[in-house]
Amino acid sequence: MIIAIDGPAASGKSSVAKIIARKLGFRHIETGAMYRAVAWKAQQLGLNLNEEAGVARMAEALDIELIPGPDGQTLRIDGRDVTPLLKSEGVGRGAATVAGLPRVREILVAKQQQIGARGNVVMDGRDIGTVVFPHADLKFFLDADAEERGRRRFQELKDKHPEIDLNSVIGQVRERDRDDRNRKVSPLVPAGDAIQIDTTRLDIDQVVNQIMRFIEPSLNKKEKKGL
Ligand code: CDP
C-alpha cells in the first residue's frame, strides 16, 4: 500500500505522516529531505544552485541514504548523518531552488519510486500524488493559512535558532510557496483525486484521526483480499 501526503511548507505533512506510518507499521519517507540534501551539498561545494548541469551531476553521484525510524527519518550523505543540518529555512529556500531544475527532479523522483516500489510506505512531499506515485492507494493534500504555517515553522526552529523572528519566517514560507506553486516542472498542486484537508484550526491528532478514517476501510479491503 502506498499513501501519498502532499502540501506546502509547514502544513503538518511530515509530523502527520510520521504518526500514520507508525500506526500502520509502514515506512515513512520525507522526500523534502532529499531536495534539502542536494541543496545543502551544493551550498557546501559553492555550486550555483540555478546551474542545472552542475547541480544534477552532483545529485546523481550523491550517496543519499534515507533511514526511517520511530522518531523520524535520518538522512546520510556519504555515510554521514546530516539530518540536523538540513532543517534551516536557508537550506529550505535552497531546496526550493534546486527543486525547480528538471534534471534534479528526475534523479530524485527515480530514487523515490525505487524506495516506494517495496510498498507499505507513507511518502510526503509536493508531487507524490501527481508525479511520483500517481496510482497511490490514497492521496492527501494538507494546507493551512500561510501565517499559521509560518508560526508553526517558527516554533520548530526558535530553540535552535534564537535569532530568528516570526515575521521573517512567515515571509520565507510565503516566498517558498510562491516558488513551489509557480515552477514549471511539477508545481505544487493537489492531485485531482487527493483528499484535501485544511489544517489551520486542527492539531496534529485531529488531522491524523481524519486521515485514519479514510485509510482504515482501504486497509480492511486489502486484508480481506489477502494483500
Ligand atoms: O518541511 P517543509 O514542508 O518546509 O519542506 P520540505 O518538505 O522539506 O521540502 C523542501 C523543499 O523541497 C520544498 O519547498 C520544495 O521546493 C522541495 N520539494 C519538492 O519540490 N518536491 C518534493 N516532493 C519535496 C520537496
Side-chain angles (χ1 to χ4, degrees), residues 7-10 13-14 30-33 35-36 89 92 95-96 99 105 112 124-128 153 176 180 183:
K13 57 191 184 310
S14 296
E30 262 187 85
T31 60
Y35 291 90
R36 286 173 181 264
E89 258 316 298
R105 298 202 72 85
Q112 291 153 15
D124 80 66
R126 301 287 185 290
D127 59 344
I128 310 305
R153 185 49 41 94
R176 194 139 64 83
D180 285 344
R183 68 169 165 248

Side-chain angles (χ1 to χ4, degrees), residues 42-43 45-56 97-98 101:
Q43 285 166 347
L45 295 173
L47 301 182
N48 174 350
L49 299 194
N50 291 295
E51 210 266 302
E52 182 165 25
V55 178
T97 304
V98 300
L101 306 171

Side-chain angles (χ1 to χ4, degrees), residues 25-90:
F26 286 11
R27 289 168 301 144
H28 168 215
I29 300 295
E30 262 187 85
T31 60
M34 296 169 86
Y35 291 90
R36 286 173 181 264
V38 169
W40 176 79
K41 186 74 185 185
Q43 285 166 347
Q44 293 286 305
L45 295 173
L47 301 182
N48 174 350
L49 299 194
N50 291 295
E51 210 266 302
E52 182 165 25
V55 178
R57 208 175 313 120
M58 180 277 285
E60 197 145 32
L62 200 61
D63 173 20
I64 298 181
E65 247 182 304
L66 296 181
I67 306 144
D71 297 319
Q73 170 184 281
T74 301
L75 189 146
R76 288 198 200 137
I77 292 180
D78 301 325
R80 172 180 172 206
D81 178 3
V82 295
T83 320
L85 305 176
L86 304 180
K87 306 256 187 244
S88 75
E89 258 316 298

Side-chain angles (χ1 to χ4, degrees), residues 141-195:
F141 190 91
L142 306 187
D143 207 345
D145 287 352
E147 287 220 355
E148 171 59 22
R149 290 187 288 111
R151 268 193 293 275
R152 291 177 189 168
R153 185 49 41 94
F154 175 73
Q155 290 299 333
E156 270 170 23
L157 294 174
K158 76 174 183 348
D159 288 341
K160 285 218 175 98
H161 303 272
E163 74 287 357
I164 59 170
D165 93 9
L166 175 61
N167 284 332
S168 60
V169 174
I170 294 175
Q172 284 165 337
V173 162
R174 280 191 206 278
E175 259 179 55
R176 194 139 64 83
D177 276 3
R178 208 184 41 225
D179 285 0
D180 285 344
R181 292 186 206 270
N182 295 322
R183 68 169 165 248
K184 290 201 187 75
V185 277
S186 312
L188 172 67
V189 54
D193 52 352
I195 296 156

